[in-house]
Amino acid sequence: MSTINTEFDYIIIGGGSAGCVLANRLSADSKNRVCLLETGPNDKTPLVSIPIGIIGLMDSKKYNWMFNSQPESSQHDRTIYCPRGKVLGGSSAVNAMLYTRGTPSDYDQWASLGNEGWGYNDILPYFKSTQHQERGASDFHGTEGELNVAEGRSNHPLGETLLAACRQAGYQDNNDFNGAQQEGIGYYQVTQINGERCSAARAFLHPISQRQNLTIITEARVARIQLENKQAQGVEYQQKDKLHTLTASKEVILCAGTFCSPQLLMLSGIGPEEELKQHRIPVKHHLAGVGSNLQEHIDIITVNESKKANSVALRPVGMVKMLKEIALYMNQRKGFLTTSIVETGGFIKSKPELKDPDMQLQFIPLVMDDHGRKKSTLLTYGYSLHNCLLRPKSRGRVSLHNSDFLKDPKIELNMLSHPDDLAAMVDAVKINLNIFSQPAFDDGRGKSIFPHQKNPSDQEIEQFVREKANHVYHPVGTCKMGNDKDAVVNDRLQVHGISGLRVVDASIMPTLVGGNTNSPTIMIAAKAADMILADHCSS
Ligand SMILES: Cc1cc2nc3c(=O)[nH]c(=O)nc-3n(C[C@H](O)[C@H](O)[C@H](O)COP(=O)(O)OP(=O)(O)OC[C@H]3O[C@@H](n4cnc5c(N)ncnc54)[C@H](O)[C@@H]3O)c2cc1C
């Protein structure tokens, strides 16, 4: 195998939500030589740029890692599908584009765990500075940033029915889930620009890809981080069956996401000693918490059939409508091709005494099953409502199947392993069924598909949850920030015990935020870039 040696100041592993932001910020000073390595290809495909392409991306081996979790008894021995973006833009190139941030108390909790500089007042400026809010600037929103935040341009009529039913069930309207309060129901804002997806690559990388001091290498899989005397020296990566080595004079920054970042640390000899020895990986640094603390928004979808032709379905009449939608998109960048699939929903409290919402509703105007991969369900008219638990107590972990860097990481979600999560999900189903039973849905309401019983008992709902509960693609926490024995990085995101190496992505979140995780990850990366530049300015 031939080997090329090249030196950079900063090597960024992974061109996803975090990696694109870092590539942008670190290369802004032309003196910094920055290299971004991404396993996936470039993102020049309509599947990524046209929002409805998300349906194709769910099943695309080319642009999606398509991981599966281990079967676990708490999940009725099911493996759970875990899509992740494998393309420039990472998961922001395949996600549902909803722009939400969580609540102030999510970040104040990070600070209260000893992470200085991560309280809400510290991080709000980064949400604002990375954002271009089309509604204009406010105390909560910025207009000078790269990530375009827009109103949806699709708005399926059933979304209005859902909102009417929610009002009838007692929920209040909220037109800004990222404003003064999160609680309420309404339309989601989306990371789109002129009806196209605004991934992290589109926002942060495309405009600067010509910078001479930035090298972007795609279809390059990092095999390991090279370490000498507990100092990161560079990386070894594979491209077209050849191994290459790059050296980093300042830092290696790991942005491979919640599943692949801990995997790469372990493959490089950083992780729980026992786990590394089991796979005959030389232990460079024992760090017990690598891969543990996996958290994910556990979710259940209730689905109802409709007797009317009022939803999205693969029927001849629907196909005719679709031709019109294609024309509308070509001419005006509007209509169903711009849909994020989830257009309406909101944040609710399962109990009124709670300080913050603990559940998130996401409505889909079609019959949904198996992450939209079961296309036969689309022959039926109907609608689906996700309800996800925002701060689950169950914890999973990521580890290795073996020492082969080309093998998928071993993912144990362990969802529903905490009894409180199971009880909460039973409540979530009841909340959904109550919303579906409101008068707004009377016109054309058909039978319940999931759960299939008419008035299910608590026991039947519990069984339904075990058999069907899933997640909403927000894994975090496997390289958590903190100072305790399980922490992997400190509050400057430097790996404990190793110099010249940081982890900057969703994996550093010590606790899961109560909202979707793309903009929080972008915020993390923008703050990390400031810290990295400050550290090297003063050194
Ligand atoms: C289907 C789906 C829907 C979602 N919907 C939403 C939503 O509507 N709103 C929202 O806010 N969030 C959503 N999310 C979550 C959000 O997109 C992620 O939390 C966020 O993108 C994570 O960013 P990251 O930088 O941590 O990881 P990623 O964006 O996943 O980036 C990691 C990158 O590293 C690359 N990589 C991995 N291993 C290697 C290696 N060995 N060498 C080189 N490169 C490597 C990967 O290919 C990838 O590009 C969704 C996610 C998915 C998958």
Side-chain angles (χ1 to χ4, degrees):
M1 286 192 178
S2 73
T3 303
I4 351 165
N5 282 301
T6 318
E7 187 181 294
F8 294 91
D9 295 309
Y10 300 105
I11 296 175
I12 301 165
I13 305 172
S17 298
C20 291
V21 176
L22 281 160
N24 178 308
R25 297 292 193 261
L26 297 181
S27 66
D29 180 342
S30 59
K31 289 199 285 298
N32 290 333
R33 296 162 303 158
V34 180
C35 178
L36 175 67
L37 291 157
E38 166 57 44
T39 299
N42 72 49
D43 58 346
K44 288 184 195 133
T45 160
L47 274 182
V48 170
S49 61
I50 303 178
I52 192 102
I54 187 175
I55 294 174
L57 290 166
M58 261 300 169
D59 242 350
S60 160
K61 280 198 181 110
K62 183 170 179 186
Y63 299 111
N64 186 337
W65 289 87
M66 298 181 71
F67 295 137
N68 284 291
S69 71
Q70 297 298 111
E72 284 159 48
S73 56
S74 61
Q75 302 157 181
H76 212 256
D77 291 325
R78 289 173 296 142
T79 61
I80 305 255
Y81 181 52
C82 300
R84 302 316 290 165
K86 187 174 64 177
V87 52
L88 274 184
S91 296
S92 75
V94 305
N95 73 10
M97 296 159 279
L98 306 191
Y99 183 83
T100 74
R101 300 170 174 174
T103 61
S105 52
D106 287 322
Y107 302 98
D108 289 338
Q109 195 195 349
W110 292 5
S112 77
L113 293 169
N115 298 302
E116 208 184 308
W118 290 92
Y120 182 65
N121 290 335
D122 305 304
I123 55 92
L124 180 60
Y126 289 100
F127 276 119
K128 290 168 74 175
S129 67
T130 47
Q131 173 198 32
H132 178 261
Q133 169 60 263
E134 288 194 355
R135 290 179 183 174
S138 71
D139 286 350
F140 301 97
H141 295 285
T143 51
E144 306 289 313
E146 296 87 345
L147 186 67
N148 205 69
V149 179
E151 310 302 341
R153 293 171 169 222
S154 168
N155 300 346
H156 192 280
L158 268 178
E160 205 42 62
T161 308
L162 180 272
L163 295 179
C166 286
R167 284 179 206 117
Q168 288 162 350
Y171 302 108
Q172 307 288 314
D173 284 293
N174 182 356
N175 83 339
D176 185 2
F177 301 130
N178 307 301
Q181 72 158 40
Q182 188 195 42
E183 185 178 8
I185 48 118
Y187 286 89
Y188 285 105
Q189 283 202 291
V190 285
T191 44
Q192 292 185 4
I193 183 161
N194 190 27
E196 295 182 7
R197 175 189 289 277
C198 187
S199 69
R202 170 88 184 248
F204 296 94
L205 218 50
H206 291 193
I208 55 116
S209 56
Q210 298 311 317
R211 282 182 190 162
Q212 296 297 307
N213 60 326
L214 173 64
T215 304
I216 301 170
I217 309 178
T218 54
E219 298 178 55
R221 181 139 176 189
V222 174
R224 61 194 56 81
I225 299 155
Q226 294 180 318
L227 298 159
E228 221 177 277
N229 300 325
K230 305 219 175 195
Q231 157 93 39
Q233 303 288 330
V235 302
E236 196 178 316
Y237 71 93
Q238 188 186 54
Q239 193 182 40
K240 294 198 178 103
D241 292 335
K242 285 187 181 159
L243 274 186
H244 307 273
T245 305
L246 301 178
T247 55
S249 62
K250 289 184 176 159
E251 295 205 18
V252 173
I253 306 156
L254 181 52
C255 308
T258 295
F259 297 136
C260 296
S261 282
Q263 180 194 26
L264 259 178
L265 286 179
M266 288 186 259
L267 289 169
S268 312
I270 303 170
E273 200 169 356
E274 281 311 302
E275 170 81 12
L276 303 183
K277 282 183 176 160
Q278 188 190 332
H279 302 296
R280 296 196 172 79
I281 297 171
V283 181
K284 300 278 174 67
H285 182 63
H286 167 65
L287 203 49
V290 174
S292 65
N293 190 47
L294 173 62
Q295 297 169 49
E296 173 60 283
H297 284 145
I298 180 167
D299 179 82
I300 191 77
I301 312 186
T302 55
V303 184
N304 220 87
E305 197 175 309
S306 183
K307 287 183 185 152
K308 291 178 75 179
N310 57 359
S311 73
V312 178
L314 284 180
R315 297 285 191 93
V317 53
M319 306 305 257
V320 173
K321 266 193 200 157
M322 196 48 83
L323 290 177
K324 286 190 187 150
E325 292 291 345
I326 292 170
L328 181 63
Y329 187 76
M330 303 298 268
N331 295 324
Q332 298 179 43
R333 288 286 186 269
K334 279 186 184 161
F336 194 63
L337 271 66
T338 68
T339 189
S340 57
I341 307 292
V342 174
E343 296 170 359
T344 52
F347 294 88
I348 60 168
K349 294 177 181 171
S350 62
K351 295 173 194 70
E353 66 273 18
L354 291 174
K355 180 172 172 278
D356 287 321
D358 60 334
M359 291 182 181
Q360 182 179 2
L361 302 175
Q362 303 187 56
F363 180 72
I364 303 183
L366 50 82
V367 174
M368 180 86 168
D369 195 18
D370 189 24
H371 309 260
R373 295 186 300 171
K374 196 167 174 186
K375 303 290 185 282
S376 59
T377 59
L378 289 173
L379 296 170
T380 307
Y381 289 110
Y383 40 88
S384 311
L385 184 59
H386 284 271
N387 192 339
C388 89
L389 184 61
L390 292 173
R391 291 172 201 84
K393 295 180 181 166
S394 303
R395 297 288 180 267
R397 86 180 184 126
V398 171
S399 56
L400 301 175
H401 287 289
N402 58 35
S403 61
D404 179 1
F405 72 91
L406 295 173
K407 183 99 181 146
D408 285 355
K410 184 174 174 186
I411 301 167
E412 289 160 285
L413 289 171
N414 224 7
M415 291 189 322
L416 294 171
S417 56
H418 196 291
D420 289 356
D421 292 351
L422 182 61
M425 292 315 286
V426 171
D427 288 345
V429 173
K430 290 181 186 171
I431 286 169
N432 281 19
L433 295 180
N434 179 42
I435 292 171
F436 279 176
S437 75
Q438 297 301 319
F441 279 111
D442 281 356
D443 185 21
R445 182 190 294 107
K447 68 176 188 329
S448 180
I449 300 175
F450 296 127
H452 69 268
Q453 299 92 346
K454 200 162 179 217
N455 291 305
S457 65
D458 279 15
Q459 241 180 349
E460 285 168 331
I461 296 178
E462 195 176 306
Q463 180 71 4
F464 165 62
V465 168
R466 287 224 186 266
E467 286 173 8
K468 284 305 251 190
N470 224 288
H471 58 73
V472 279
Y473 323 117
H474 299 154
V476 307
T478 52
C479 298
K480 81 165 181 176
M481 166 171 69
N483 302 305
D484 60 294
K485 68 173 180 35
D486 287 327
V488 174
V489 295
N490 64 19
D491 54 22
R492 296 190 78 73
L493 308 190
Q494 294 155 318
V495 174
H496 284 295
I498 301 284
S499 45
L501 179 62
R502 294 189 213 228
V503 183
V504 180
D505 57 27
S507 73
I508 68 95
M509 295 188 198
T511 50
L512 189 44
V513 296
N516 308 68
T517 46
N518 185 41
S519 74
T521 307
I522 286 170
M523 171 280 288
I524 288 168
K527 183 170 163 59
D530 273 2
M531 294 192 291
I532 294 166
L533 292 170
D535 287 352
H536 289 282
C537 173
S538 56
S539 66

